Amino acid sequence: MGPAIQNLEHLLNVPTGCGEQVMAMITPNLYVLRYLKSSGRLTKSLYQRAIRNMKIGYQRILDYAHADGSFSAFGYHDPSGSMFLTAFVVRTLKQVKEYIHVDENVIRKAINWITKNQLENGCFHAGHHVFHELV
């Protein structure tokens, strides 16, 4: 952990790529910002960099939203949204909005899509394409 803690600024990157990659790059900005703030190590330049990256990431993830409120790895190129990615977007945007403006309607539409796609047994169908398979 030592080298990672010493070089946290290397985790502050501009989110790029497909929907999942954008989300995977937004979250380190959020968590590094929180950690540096709580440990008293947050500088003005690191704060500004993290905020800028989260704003860019937020704008980019909107490109992967479907009209029904869901999100997918390749946006309108995918036939429908991904439960995993939509839940990840909701969770992250709820946290990111502490630092940047996030349209609450984006979050609300995504939550509505998630609840409409809940199975009768309470589970959620994983469904659809996930770019990075979890092992």
Side-chain angles (χ1 to χ4, degrees), residues 11-118:
L11 296 174
L12 299 178
N13 296 304
V14 175
T16 60
C18 73
E20 291 175 11
Q21 291 167 328
V22 167
M23 291 308 300
M25 293 176 78
I26 288 175
T27 53
N29 286 282
L30 170 67
Y31 298 132
V32 167
L33 176 62
R34 284 182 171 174
Y35 174 77
L36 291 175
K37 184 177 179 182
S38 70
S39 67
R41 297 175 41 205
L42 183 61
T43 65
K44 183 177 179 179
S45 66
L46 288 176
Y47 174 82
Q48 290 172 335
R49 188 168 149 199
I51 295 298
R52 177 181 168 273
N53 292 347
M54 287 188 290
K55 287 179 179 179
I56 292 169
Y58 170 61
Q59 289 303 313
R60 289 186 175 162
I61 197 59
L62 296 177
D63 290 337
Y64 299 96
H66 291 253
D68 61 7
S70 65
F71 289 82
S72 68
F74 300 107
Y76 69 89
H77 294 290
D78 290 323
S80 61
S82 159
M83 183 61 69
F84 165 79
L85 185 58
T86 303
F88 189 23
V89 168
V90 167
R91 179 174 187 247
T92 303
L93 292 184
K94 292 285 262 181
Q95 295 175 9
V96 164
K97 76 180 200 166
E98 177 182 342
Y99 298 99
I100 67 170
H101 170 75
V102 173
D103 183 350
E104 188 63 37
N105 290 321
V106 171
I107 296 171
R108 193 174 303 116
K109 276 181 75 173
I111 291 170
N112 286 340
W113 182 84
I114 290 169
T115 56
K116 285 180 184 174
N117 286 282
Q118 186 172 17

